[in-house]
Structures are given as C-alpha cells and as structure tokens.
Amino acid sequence: MARHPTPLNNTFDRRTFLKAAPVLPLAAAGALGLGSDAAKADTPEAPGARPDGSEFPSGFVWGVATAAPQIEGGASADGKGPSNWDVWARTPGNIKNGDTLDVACDHYHRYPQDFRMMADLGVKHYRMSIAWPRIYPFGRGQVNQPGIDFYHRLFDELASHGISPYVTMFHWDLPAALEEEGGWRVRGVTDAFAQYADTIVKAYAHQVKHWITLNEIYCFTRLAYGGGDKAPGANDGDAVVNQTYHHALICHGHGVRAVREFGGAGAQVGLTDNSGIPVPVTETVGDIAAARSSFVRENIRVLDPIYRGRYDEKYLSDAGAAAPKFADSDFQLISLPTDYLGMNVYTGGFVRAGGSGGAEGVPFPPHFPVADSPWLKLNARAMYWGPRLAAEIYGISRIYITENGAGYDDSPPVNGEVPDLHRLEYVRACLRELRRGIADGVPVRGYFLWSLMDNFEWQDGYTRRFGIVYNDFKTQERTPKMSARWYSRVIGGNRLV
Ligand code: FCB
C-alpha cells in the first residue's frame, strides 16, 4: 500500500483480533459498582459488527504510570536526601503557586490504599520510579537502608495485588549533592549512577523484572541546562548541553549493564525516550519520507548512539566545537543491546514534503486544539507515527508506550464524578492510532497511561492535572474520574469501548 513504503513485519496475525472479545470480568465490574445489568450493557457488540477493529492483541500490557518525585512526598522521610527538584522548587518563582514536592500525593505513606485503588480499576502493570536520593541521600557513598526497605515493602504490596512493576531508575530527581558538583555536566555523575543502578538492581532483582534506565533525556539535559524550565534552570551553551547528553547516555549504558549483571533470570531493560515525532500531513509517500527524515534529524543524538553505537558524523560536524567529548569505548556501554524502547507520546508536529532539505515543518495554526498544558497540541496521529518511525528506522522489535495522557485543570468532583471527557476522548483517539499501528505491524507491546493520579507537574506545580484519578491535595482524597472508569473497561476487555 502506498501508505506503507517500508512494510514492517507483521508480528501477529490480524485474525487474532477477530476472536470474540472478552467481556469485563465480573469481579472488576463489581469493583466499579456495576450491577449485572450494567455488566451486560458493557458486553461488546458481536464480532464483525465493528468496522474499526477495537481489540488489542492478546497479552497486550495495559498500565498506568507515575514517578517518585511527582507523587511520593516524604521529602525528608527516613533519611531521604534533597533532590535537585526539592531545592529548585523551594526557590520562590521557579514553580507555579510556589508549590513544592514536599507532600505531593503523600504516596510515601498512602501507597497501600493507592495500590488497592489500582487493583479495583483492574490495573495489572505499573510504571513507577525509584527516588535516587532515598537510596543515596548524597548521591553516592553510604546506602540509606530505610530507603531500600521502603521499596521492598512497596513492591511486596504491588505483588499482593498481582500488579507487576516497570521501574524507572531515574525520573529527574538527581540528588542535590550531585547537582552541586555540576550535575549532568560532569562525568562524575556517571560513576555515581553506576553505583546507584548496581545497588537497586541487586536489591530488587527478585521483585522487579522490567527496568527502564532513564526518563526523557531531552528534558533533564536540554531543558535543565540549556535555558529551559527544568531544575536546575541553568542557561549554559551547546557545548555543556551536548556533554550532559553524553553523560546521560553513559548512565543509560550503566543501567543496562547493571540489569544484565545483577537483574537475575528474565530481567529486561530499555530506555524511555520522548522522541520528537513528526506527523506527515498526508499519509502519502512524499510526506511520509519527509516525516522519516525529520524523525532522524530530531532524534539522532540519542537514538544513534544507543542503536548504532556511535554519534552520527553530521551531528558531530554540525556541533563543531560544541560537540561532546567522549572516548570511543563509551559506546560499548551506551550501545549494549536493550530489550525494548519506551516511548512517551503526547504530541507531534506536522511535516510535509518540500523545502530545501525535502521536508518542511508546518506550524500549528492559532486555535489548533490543545490541552490546558500549552505544549500538548492534541495530535493523536503521533501515536501511530512515533512508534512506527522508530521501529522502521532503528529496527526496534519491541516498544512500550511508557506515557501518554493529557493535562487539564479539572474541576473538583461533583457528586463523586469528574467528567473529564476531554482527557478520555484524547486518550481514546491516541489508542485508536496505536491500534492502527499495531494492525500495520508496529511492534508496540504495551501502553502506560500518564498518570494514575493528579500529581506534581514539575514547573506547573499542582495545576495541569494528568491523573485519571482526581486528587484533592488538601485532603489527599482520591476520586476516579470518568476516564479511569472508561480505562478500566478498556483494560478489562482488552479493547476500546
Ligand atoms: C513527561 C514526564 C512526566 C510528566 C508528563 C506530563 O514529560 O516524563 O513526568 O510530567 O510529561
């Protein structure tokens, strides 16, 4: 077909979708307060009656995602050291409304209730992160045993509900002591990370089988040191920023190495990237080729080292004097084979054939639909094109969508309901695109909705809620939104409803 100039291997049989769709299990229906009539009403239409193909492959991994600094609170509980974000947030003017991470969702103390709620929603897979400053309060040196013990209890609690963890080693909360040494600018961070990765993989090898090394290198390097709005809010030049990328890539390599050395049987690992996603205006050969070349240009600095074991020559020559300093041997670590790529997919920009390089971006016009998070243009086709281009270009055979969702300033519940149809409809549109990609052979094996509950949204503080569960930050009362109830049915039926 003209839409698919480079066909992907079909990794499962389309006929698997035509099997009768499973119905929401009665237990889950009960947990949602659905009586048997309601459960019956939830029965899918007869197979074949749906032209859109709403089922997902059997075994598809459905989950929700969070990150330690955004939900845990307990900022100095049980010996935890401060993170760069703790410090950054306590400086007035950096975070909306002067919000801090001190309490967040108080998940540090409330995780048993939160996991019960997840289980009630039928969630079986959970992406979360470990707080480095809980394990090493000063970034390296002496392990903080209470921090280690906390996650042992947490993983046990998850297991008691039959929920499997997908654990991110680093989701932006660098120990403040390391930030003071220069943070990601200095190579010393890689030794500290290696020690941290070894420690947590050894400690939790019997409880964790899916690891993610780093979350979104672009955000904690470029946006943190190159004039963005992430901690530590530095405004360094390209040479420094390129070096922070390189150190992050080495840490990714150490994360993979640690899992191979200490992860035990069946342990798997990969990076989570927020690749820039170009979406072809029309799905025709010319615009698709433009999207492909734009994808390469935007993501080459992270994905080439990992998948090709080197920096792209053009990237280096374009960077000139600002190119990162590296040793050739660094790439032995950086390009250690991984088991999957995690992709965070929220939005994408439009491109078409044309311009001097054969591809040109098409700017969003005013009034293009956008979430309340102003960066989140509602471009659901990114969910098709992101994974497809990554898989085609880099030959990746397994992808998880490790985040997707939408940030809105939801109103508090009325009569126990938060009718967040904007979020529900956008996620639904994204899942349709994901389903389309899978049917075309794009090897996506799972999807994690960001986020389980409203939480600390970095520089936006407690505005821009991304949860499918509403959190009242004063009382810590959680209320599943309409999107949570809908997503629960998607999980239960393994299909769009
Ligand atoms: C991603 C981050 C995640 C969350 C979402 C909305 O960039 O990984 O922590 O804040 O954006």
Side-chain angles (χ1 to χ4, degrees):
M1 277 187 304
R3 262 196 10 215
H4 312 301
T6 314
L8 292 157
N9 291 334
N10 254 319
T11 44
F12 59 88
D13 185 341
R14 274 165 186 262
R15 278 169 304 178
T16 52
F17 294 114
L18 299 177
K19 289 184 321 207
V23 206
L24 182 74
L26 281 180
L32 287 170
L34 301 171
S36 60
D37 283 353
K40 215 181 297 155
D42 209 50
T43 305
E45 291 171 277
R50 308 181 66 88
D52 60 349
S54 58
E55 286 180 51
F56 279 71
S58 67
F60 190 78
V61 168
W62 294 104
V64 293
T66 65
Q70 294 176 273
I71 63 166
E72 282 183 359
S76 51
D78 300 327
K80 175 181 171 289
S83 75
N84 58 342
W85 272 91
D86 289 326
V87 173
W88 169 247
R90 286 176 195 144
T91 311
N94 288 339
I95 310 285
K96 197 146 172 187
N97 301 326
D99 288 339
T100 70
L101 304 75
D102 292 354
V103 179
C105 304
D106 196 30
H107 180 72
Y108 188 78
H109 300 108
R110 294 167 193 262
Y111 67 90
Q113 295 95 299
D114 287 336
F115 295 161
R116 201 173 317 124
M117 177 178 74
M118 271 166 63
D120 284 349
L121 291 170
V123 173
K124 291 272 178 260
H125 305 278
Y126 176 46
R127 177 178 177 231
M128 51 164 279
S129 78
I130 291 179
W132 184 349
R134 250 185 232 300
I135 307 297
Y136 286 105
F138 303 103
R140 62 165 77 81
Q142 188 63 36
V143 172
N144 178 40
Q145 192 58 39
I148 296 272
D149 295 344
F150 167 68
Y151 293 106
H152 275 309
R153 293 195 300 276
L154 184 148
F155 292 135
D156 279 349
E157 189 73 25
L158 278 176
S160 76
H161 292 290
I163 299 171
S164 67
Y166 287 61
V167 178
T168 310
M169 298 176 181
F170 178 73
H171 200 123
W172 305 358
D173 47 348
L174 189 72
L178 295 181
E179 192 69 75
E180 279 162 29
E181 292 175 12
W184 290 95
R185 300 179 187 95
V186 293
R187 190 154 174 135
V189 74
T190 65
D191 298 328
F193 182 86
Q195 184 188 30
Y196 163 63
D198 287 358
T199 300
I200 56 175
V201 175
K202 280 182 198 166
Y204 306 121
H206 60 296
Q207 293 174 301
V208 177
K209 286 299 159 200
H210 292 92
W211 293 95
I212 290 160
T213 54
L214 309 174
N215 180 70
E216 299 190 350
I217 291 178
Y218 169 81
C219 287
F220 68 85
T221 58
R222 163 63 65 193
L223 297 184
Y225 295 92
D229 47 16
K230 306 270 190 272
N235 201 354
D236 298 336
D238 280 350
V240 170
V241 170
N242 290 338
Q243 203 59 45
T244 62
Y245 268 95
H246 188 67
H247 295 149
L249 288 166
I250 294 174
C251 289
H252 160 76
H254 273 301
V256 177
R257 177 198 53 71
V259 171
R260 300 294 180 233
E261 278 184 38
F262 306 117
Q268 304 192 342
V269 61
L271 172 79
T272 275
D273 190 39
N274 57 331
S275 313
I277 301 179
V279 173
V281 174
T282 69
E283 299 195 347
T284 56
V285 174
D287 286 357
I288 291 171
R292 188 185 310 269
S293 62
S294 306
F295 186 95
V296 170
R297 204 180 45 249
E298 285 196 43
N299 303 302
I300 205 162
R301 138 188 4 219
V302 168
L303 297 182
D304 255 40
I306 290 177
Y307 288 104
R308 301 204 167 126
R310 53 156 176 72
Y311 279 121
D312 172 68
E313 281 305 323
K314 186 161 176 334
Y315 159 65
L316 290 179
S317 58
D318 287 352
K325 308 219 176 334
F326 58 89
D328 286 341
S329 56
D330 291 346
F331 293 100
Q332 287 165 13
L333 260 184
I334 293 171
S335 66
L336 281 173
T338 55
D339 300 295
Y340 39 75
L341 176 67
M343 296 186 81
N344 290 352
V345 179
Y346 288 95
T347 185
F350 287 103
V351 294
R352 66 178 174 195
S356 51
E360 63 183 9
V362 181
F364 288 103
H367 311 301
F368 188 91
V370 62
D372 289 341
S373 294
W375 53 271
L376 209 166
K377 304 283 188 195
L378 301 173
N379 190 355
R381 280 200 294 137
M383 190 59 97
Y384 177 89
W385 286 102
R388 177 175 157 179
L389 292 172
E392 285 181 354
I393 294 165
Y394 288 101
I396 298 166
S397 60
R398 189 141 54 109
I399 292 174
Y400 290 103
I401 304 303
T402 39
E403 290 181 28
N404 169 246
Y408 285 103
D409 298 328
D410 298 313
S411 304
V414 175
N415 299 328
E417 272 216 307
V418 180
D420 60 334
L421 286 164
H422 35 25
R423 179 173 298 101
L424 189 162
E425 281 297 309
Y426 184 57
V427 170
R428 193 176 200 289
C430 290
L431 286 177
R432 284 177 69 105
E433 288 296 320
L434 182 59
R435 173 64 186 68
R436 176 165 80 102
I438 294 171
D440 285 350
V442 182
V444 177
R445 303 288 182 249
Y447 170 93
F448 294 81
L449 210 167
W450 183 275
S451 178
L452 167 65
M453 57 188 157
D454 299 333
N455 56 48
F456 179 82
E457 179 47 22
W458 309 112
Q459 64 281 0
D460 292 330
Y462 294 101
T463 66
R464 314 297 191 223
R465 294 165 178 270
F466 274 81
I468 55 171
V469 171
Y470 186 92
N471 191 38
D472 180 326
F473 291 101
K474 291 208 178 70
T475 62
Q476 297 295 350
E477 192 182 345
R478 325 277 202 234
T479 307
K481 303 177 191 177
M482 195 172 276
S483 57
R485 297 181 183 283
W486 165 80
Y487 189 52
S488 174
R489 292 178 180 195
V490 171
I491 297 174
N494 197 33
R495 58 190 291 279
L496 280 176
V497 292

